[in-house]
Every structure is written in C-alpha cells, then in structure tokens.
Amino acid sequence: MENVRQTAFEMMIRQGKEIPLPGVCLEIAIDVSEGLPNKEKIAKFVV
C-alpha cells in the first residue's frame, strides 16, 4: 500500500497537482451532534 501512495504522490507532483492534506472522518450520532456546543462552527464539516 505504501508503494501505491508513493506512486500516486509522484504522479501528482509531476502533473503539478497539489497533494491533499490528510483528513479526519468521525461518525457521530445525529442526536449527539445536535447537542454539541458551537455546532454552527462545525456545520461546514458535516457531510
């Protein structure tokens, strides 16, 4: 798997594409997320 990642990054660099930053995915139940403080600030990250 490491070889695949390395090859993909090399191709992106050669093509002048930006390498994306790693992301985090959290699964939170809707009823829990509704009760989070500052939920308006995190709304843009909710999918």
Side-chain angles (χ1 to χ4, degrees):
M1 190 56 129
E2 181 63 28
N3 290 339
V4 172
R5 185 176 68 92
Q6 182 67 31
T7 301
F9 285 171
E10 289 172 0
M11 289 174 57
M12 292 173 76
I13 291 169
R14 274 188 253 133
Q15 295 173 359
K17 294 182 179 178
E18 188 175 325
I19 296 176
L21 294 173
V24 175
C25 178
L26 300 174
E27 291 188 24
I28 302 173
I30 293 173
D31 58 333
V32 173
S33 67
E34 289 296 319
L36 292 174
N38 300 317
K39 72 177 188 175
E40 297 80 21
K41 290 183 180 180
I42 63 169
K44 63 183 174 183
F45 301 107
V46 176
V47 181

